[in-house]
Amino acid sequence: MQATATVLVYSDDANTREQVRLATGRRPAPDVPLVKFVECATPAAVLTELDRGGIDVCVLDGEAVPMGGMGVCRQIKDEIYNCPPVLLLIGRPQDAWLATWSRAEAAVTLPVEPVDFADALASLLRRKALAGA
C-alpha cells in the first residue's frame, strides 16, 4: 500500500472544503493510505493540478460557482488522460442522475455526512489501488 494518497478538493466555498477535510480525517478507513489534500477554488486550478499529475481521487462540489463540479467532472473525463476517479458532492439525492451524466464514479449529498463521505472516498481509493496493482 502506498504511503499517502493525494485527494484534490474543488469548491469555491472554503467551508465545503473544510467539511471534506474533517470528514476524511487522516484517512477515511484503516485499509487505505493516509490522505493529503490539494485544494482548488477555481476550475482552472483543477486543470493545472491534474496536468501536474499525482492526484489519486478528485472530490468536486456540484454546487460550486462559476462552474459546478458536474461540468468540471465531465470536462476532465474528456480531457485528462487516465483521469482519477471522481466523488461528486451533490445538493440533493435527486441529482444523482446528473452525477451519472457527468461520469463521476460516486456521489454524496451536501452538507457532507462524515460516515457516508468517508465510505465513498475509501471505496474510490481502494478501487484506485486495485487498478494500479
Side-chain angles (χ1 to χ4, degrees):
M1 176 168 64
Q2 69 188 53
T4 62
T6 303
V7 175
L8 181 145
V9 182
Y10 163 64
S11 180
D12 65 314
D13 184 348
N15 183 49
T16 299
R17 295 191 308 268
E18 180 182 31
Q19 286 179 45
V20 167
R21 286 192 320 273
L22 292 174
T24 304
R26 292 173 39 99
R27 65 170 40 138
D31 63 328
V32 298
L34 294 171
V35 171
K36 72 175 186 172
F37 295 99
V38 173
E39 294 187 32
C40 299
T42 66
V46 171
L47 294 174
T48 298
E49 290 298 333
L50 288 172
D51 283 341
R52 278 192 187 124
I55 302 296
D56 294 298
V57 174
C58 296
V59 177
L60 307 177
D61 179 2
E63 306 296 311
V65 176
M67 186 173 184
M70 292 178 216
V72 171
C73 182
R74 184 129 176 135
Q75 180 179 354
I76 65 175
K77 292 294 182 176
D78 285 340
E79 296 179 5
I80 303 296
Y81 178 72
N82 280 339
C83 184
V86 173
L87 172 55
L88 195 58
L89 305 174
I90 55 178
R92 45 192 199 135
Q94 298 88 336
D95 293 337
W97 72 273
L98 287 168
T100 302
W101 168 86
S102 70
R103 294 185 258 165
E105 283 78 6
V108 296
T109 56
L110 286 168
V112 173
E113 199 292 310
V115 173
D116 291 341
F117 179 83
D119 286 347
L121 181 58
S123 176
L124 293 180
L125 288 169
R126 286 182 200 107
R127 191 180 323 175
K128 175 80 173 173
L130 287 174

